[in-house]
């Protein structure tokens, strides 16, 4: 193992003004980046510069600002493509968020059902199967569930072990020759598990199914290279990777995007339109109807620059250390039970837990009084909660700007929780 | 933030020793409510006898605020007239929507005035109201289930 350069967390923190906020009389400890990350000044600045200097609609005007805006937007696409190792910027579709990216894909299947000339890879009907896992965010479950209901296809899932890992032994059994598409989470937002992908992608190839990842929790936290992963599509969201809200990404292989019917239709996604019919533009424009989030794309590109500057290997190493520290400190807390992997191997720095029989709402409230921001609830993964027999959990999630001291404060504040509810 | 204001002794006491807990027969109306953001749940039954709320029974999972609130609800509305129960519902809802500006009338709301502090925490108001929403819904169901009680 080569030695990894640690992140200079102190200078990183200086880039995030919000981290200097006080909650009441306490310093904010933001441990909720799995819900949304904070943005560095570089991102906000890039968006402001664009807005103050170059704002215009894209691809519609010949004036200077129009050209600058188009260049900024398409430049952002290229920047994102390079970040995830995509062979071409044209494989990057900008959406609103991960949820829309996944819906865009699911609707490609649904719309293909109405088109006799549709690519057979997108033809779904009774007897066909769709596979997800038992650790999906609702964003990568509900669209597939709906698709199955509407087409008559069957939704199947790979189970989760007591340790919070995918039950990979069942893959050959769950994924059959009837499977047309597998979509699974790369990193679980509830359990923190980093899923190994090769066995599932290999099985997908064997049965001729499309395979892709909900990469919402992986692209922000570890190096992700779509070519190395050997998948057909991934979805992720800007606001979890130091970027703004309102922008997400669907990456898919060029030949898939070519074969997919559009999701939303209207302006900017057409080749020609008559009163009777329309021919569509090539991807990615085919999937970007209407005025896209232009300033947000600029912000996302700045976020990608920021992460690249840090180095995604360093980001991963930093979070691995924090995950290890968090798990080690949690071991010492009486009554705390981690939901998910208990060792810092194959997992990120997102750790869910229950605490004695104190409801997570109450835990979160008392932590907030100490200035500590965590997420409580079912984290949009209700079936995963059910799998572990819990209604809700408290979840602490760390990112590039978090420190061991903040984890110490969290552990200490749990003592306060015990005092109120003991 | 003043935690004591939120987690008053009275609230913690109702949370740890809920009054009237459990589902009982007979009942004419039942309601199941969930708080989708956090997974709190309650099933609540209303037994109406003439113009009286003869019993309110419930089972719930959730945070201290939602559980204590159901317990306080039980104390306030069981064995009262339907009209009084509806008045308490109105008063409590108003208190919860007061954003910390109301103290509540201890004469009528009794232990429920302890929830005045909760109204300052918008994320928790839903927790406090969950049981009351179930009560309102169950009462409507009970009234429609009883012949001659619907006004048209
Ligand atoms: C694993 C996972 N998938 C999908 C999403 C949805 O992201 P968004 O709400 O930005 O669409 C999230 C986060 O909320 C997530 O953690």
């Amino acid at each position: 193992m080569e030695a990894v350069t640690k992140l200079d967390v102190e200078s990183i923190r200086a880039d995030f003004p919000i981290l200097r906020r006080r909650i009441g009389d306490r310093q904010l400890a933001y441990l909720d980046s799995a819900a949304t990350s904070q943005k560095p000044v570089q991102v906000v600045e890039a968006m402001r510069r664009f807005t103050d200097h170059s704002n215009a609609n894209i691809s519609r005007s010949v004036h200077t600002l129009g050209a600058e805006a188009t260049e900024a937007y398409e430049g952002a696409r290229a920047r994102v493509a390079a970040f995830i190792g995509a062979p071409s910027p044209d494989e990057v579709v900008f959406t609103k968020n991960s949820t829309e990216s996944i819906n865009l894909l699911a609707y490609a299947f649904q719309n293909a059902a109405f088109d006799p000339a549709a690519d057979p890879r997108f033809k779904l009907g009774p007897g066909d199967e769709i596979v997800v896992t038992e650790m999906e965010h609702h964003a990568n479950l509900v669209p597939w569930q709906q698709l199955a209901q509407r087409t008559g296809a069957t939704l199947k899932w790979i189970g989760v072990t007591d340790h919070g890992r995918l039950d990979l032994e069942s893959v050959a059994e769950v994924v059959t020759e009837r499977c047309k598409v597998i979509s699974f989470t790369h990193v679980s937002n509830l359990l923190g598990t980093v899923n190994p992908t090769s066995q599932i992608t290999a099985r997908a190839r064997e049965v001729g199914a499309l395979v892709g990842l909900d990469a919402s929790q992986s692209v922000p936290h570890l190096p992700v290279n779509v070519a190395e992963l050997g998948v057909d599509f991934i979805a992720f969201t800007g606001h979890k990777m130091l970027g703004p809200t309102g922008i997400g990404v669907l990456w898919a292989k060029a030949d898939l995007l070519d074969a997919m019917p559009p999701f939303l239709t209207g302006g900017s996604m057409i080749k020609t339109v008559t009163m009777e019919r329309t021919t569509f533009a090539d991807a990615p424009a085919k999937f970007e109807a209407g005025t896209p989030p232009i300033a947000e794309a600029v912000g996302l590109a700045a976020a990608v620059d920021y992460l690249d500057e840090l180095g995604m290997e360093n980001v991963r190493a930093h979070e691995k250390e924090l995950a290890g520290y968090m798990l080690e400190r949690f071991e010492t807390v009486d009554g705390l039970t981690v939901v998910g992997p208990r060792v810092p191997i194959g997992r990120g720095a997102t750790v869910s837990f229950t605490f004695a029989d104190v409801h997570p709402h109450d835990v979160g409230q008392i932590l907030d009084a100490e200035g500590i921001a965590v997420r409580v609830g079912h984290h949009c993964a209700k079936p995963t909660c059910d799998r572990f027999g819990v209604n809700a959990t408290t979840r602490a999630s760390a990112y590039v700007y978090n420190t061991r001291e903040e984890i110490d404060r969290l552990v200490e504040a749990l003592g306060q929780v015990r005092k109120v509810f003991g | 933030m003043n935690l004591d204001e939120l987690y008053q002794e009275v609230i913690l006491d109702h949370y740890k020793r809920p009054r009237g807990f459990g589902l009982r027969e007979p009942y004419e109306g039942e309601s199941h409510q969930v708080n989708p953001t956090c997974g709190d749940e309650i099933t609540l039954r209303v037994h109406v006898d003439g113009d009286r709320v003869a019993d309110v029974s419930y089972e719930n999972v959730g945070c201290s605020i939602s559980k204590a609130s159901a317990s306080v609800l039980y104390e306030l509305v069981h064995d009262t007239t339907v009209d009084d129960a509806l008045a308490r519902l109105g008063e409590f809802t108003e208190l919860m929507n007061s954003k910390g500006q109301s103290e509540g009338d201890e004469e009528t709301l009794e232990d429920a005035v302890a929830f005045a502090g909760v109204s300052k925490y918008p994320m928790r108001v839903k927790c406090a109201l969950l049981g009351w929403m179930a009560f309102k819904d169950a009462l409507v169901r009970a009234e429609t289930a009883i012949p001659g009680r619907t006004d048209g």
Side-chain angles (χ1 to χ4, degrees):
Chain A
M1 278 268 299
E2 69 183 305
V4 279
T5 8
K6 285 245 196 89
L7 298 183
D8 180 354
V9 177
E10 209 172 308
S11 70
I12 291 174
R13 290 180 72 86
D15 291 332
F16 292 79
I18 202 170
L19 298 180
R20 295 196 281 280
R21 244 204 87 162
R22 301 185 82 76
I23 304 298
D25 60 351
R26 306 298 157 96
Q27 170 85 34
L28 168 69
Y30 188 74
L31 290 169
D32 195 19
S33 293
T36 198
S37 67
Q38 299 301 346
K39 334 295 166 210
V41 285
Q42 287 85 342
V43 167
V44 180
E45 228 351 88
M47 293 173 75
R48 204 180 62 85
R49 223 178 310 121
F50 172 81
T51 307
D52 289 352
H53 191 70
S54 304
N55 181 54
N57 212 326
I58 55 161
S59 312
R60 289 181 185 179
S61 321
V62 292
H63 53 67
T64 303
L65 297 189
E68 284 178 13
T70 305
E71 198 179 329
Y73 184 69
E74 292 307 325
R77 195 193 303 284
R79 195 65 202 79
V80 169
F83 186 62
I84 57 168
S88 158
D90 290 342
E91 296 184 340
V92 168
V93 177
F94 283 132
T95 61
K96 183 170 63 168
N97 49 33
S98 286
T99 305
E100 185 181 310
S101 298
I102 296 164
N103 273 279
L104 191 163
L105 203 67
Y107 271 87
F109 285 90
Q110 189 174 314
N111 293 339
F114 297 100
D115 180 3
D119 188 296
R121 287 175 296 181
F122 290 94
K123 285 273 189 193
L124 269 184
D128 292 327
E129 293 173 356
I130 301 166
V131 171
V132 295
T133 77
E134 207 180 3
M135 58 163 89
E136 301 306 328
H137 186 282
H138 296 162
N140 193 40
L141 171 60
V142 183
W144 300 113
Q145 226 175 44
Q146 293 295 306
L147 178 65
Q149 280 170 18
R150 289 171 187 162
T151 58
T154 304
L155 182 73
K156 297 170 78 177
W157 53 91
I158 298 164
V160 173
T161 68
D162 290 343
H163 297 288
R165 311 280 183 188
L166 282 184
D167 178 14
L168 290 173
E169 274 169 27
S170 73
V171 169
E173 189 188 318
V174 176
V175 180
T176 72
E177 298 287 337
R178 293 198 204 107
C179 179
K180 303 278 296 225
V181 55
I182 309 174
S183 185
F184 67 106
T185 195
H186 197 185
V187 174
S188 161
N189 69 308
L190 177 76
L191 307 170
T193 318
V194 179
N195 288 321
T197 58
S198 57
Q199 201 177 327
I200 297 175
T201 52
R203 180 65 183 159
R205 297 292 164 244
E206 228 169 73
V207 302
L210 296 173
V211 59
L213 298 171
D214 176 353
S216 307
Q217 298 286 354
S218 61
V219 168
H221 300 284
L222 26 121
V224 168
N225 182 300
V226 292
E228 280 170 22
L229 284 167
V231 290
D232 296 306
F233 60 85
I234 71 170
F236 55 102
T237 194
H239 68 93
K240 292 190 203 284
M241 52 189 290
L242 310 181
T245 54
I247 187 157
V249 173
L250 174 69
W251 167 83
K253 284 183 177 162
D255 73 304
L256 280 189
L257 290 177
D258 286 345
M260 283 160 59
F263 171 40
L264 303 174
T265 57
S268 306
M269 53 79 68
I270 55 97
K271 245 185 205 135
T272 63
V273 181
T274 64
M275 285 314 290
E276 289 78 26
R277 48 181 301 112
T278 297
T279 53
F280 304 128
D282 292 335
K286 179 169 65 169
F287 301 103
E288 295 180 358
T291 300
I294 308 168
E296 287 76 6
V298 170
L300 179 57
V304 163
D305 283 340
Y306 192 94
L307 287 171
D308 253 345
E309 186 81 17
L310 298 181
M312 288 310 291
E313 272 305 344
N314 296 332
V315 171
R316 167 157 62 186
H318 173 70
E319 291 183 28
K320 187 178 165 77
E321 192 206 301
L322 286 184
Y325 188 64
M326 200 161 4
L327 291 164
E328 183 189 307
R329 290 300 317 268
F330 283 177
E331 285 278 321
T332 67
V333 180
D334 241 11
L336 187 153
T337 309
V338 170
V339 179
R342 280 174 213 163
V343 289
I345 298 162
R347 66 137 44 250
T350 292
V351 183
S352 272
F353 61 89
T354 59
F355 186 50
D357 52 7
V358 185
H359 193 279
H361 255 194
D362 293 317
V363 176
Q365 190 84 57
I366 290 173
L367 295 184
D368 182 58
E370 300 290 326
I372 300 163
V374 295
R375 170 114 188 246
V376 298
H378 56 53
H379 316 287
C380 297
K382 230 171 166 312
T384 319
C385 283
D386 292 346
R387 162 66 184 81
F388 287 91
V390 294
N391 225 20
T393 72
T394 303
R395 180 187 72 185
S397 56
Y399 204 9
V400 293
Y401 34 66
N402 289 116
T403 64
R404 284 175 169 237
E405 288 69 42
E406 290 173 310
I407 293 167
D408 290 337
R409 281 179 58 197
L410 167 61
V411 169
E412 210 171 296
L414 288 172
Q416 186 66 26
V417 175
R418 185 178 293 289
K419 233 188 265 166
V420 177
F421 287 97
Chain B
M1 170 190 293
N2 184 354
L3 272 183
D4 295 338
E5 169 189 87
L6 181 67
Y7 292 120
Q8 302 235 351
E9 277 306 320
V10 180
I11 293 182
L12 291 177
D13 183 59
H14 274 277
Y15 168 57
K16 288 171 186 165
R17 298 188 304 115
R19 330 288 200 257
F21 185 86
L23 289 172
R24 291 178 288 277
E25 310 261 352
Y27 66 96
E28 294 74 36
E30 181 178 278
S31 176
H32 181 74
Q33 299 286 325
V34 296
N35 185 345
T37 51
C38 57
D40 287 355
E41 292 189 34
I42 187 164
T43 301
L44 181 142
R45 290 174 177 174
V46 173
H47 172 36
V48 178
D49 184 9
D51 64 351
R52 299 188 70 74
V53 177
D55 192 19
V56 169
S57 65
Y58 62 95
E59 271 181 5
N60 56 359
V61 290
C63 65
S64 57
I65 303 295
S66 77
K67 295 194 81 161
S69 171
S71 169
V72 166
L73 162 83
Y74 167 81
E75 279 203 329
L76 279 179
V77 304
H78 89 283
D79 201 19
T80 59
T81 65
V82 171
D83 287 344
D84 276 350
L86 286 173
R88 294 301 88 75
L89 169 69
E91 271 178 83
F92 188 76
T93 308
E94 196 175 304
L95 179 63
M96 284 302 97
N97 290 332
S98 73
K99 301 193 166 72
Q101 297 306 306
S102 165
E103 287 176 0
D105 182 353
E106 201 167 351
E107 283 291 306
T108 51
L109 282 179
E110 302 173 27
D111 279 1
V113 294
F115 285 80
V118 177
S119 71
K120 284 190 204 163
Y121 299 87
M123 303 299 285
R124 306 305 293 278
V125 168
K126 275 198 197 123
C127 308
L129 285 174
L130 191 70
W132 294 79
M133 293 300 112
F135 174 64
K136 187 176 173 183
D137 185 43
L139 196 58
V140 169
R141 287 164 193 266
E143 307 235 297
T144 44
I146 301 167
R149 280 201 65 95
T150 42
D151 298 330

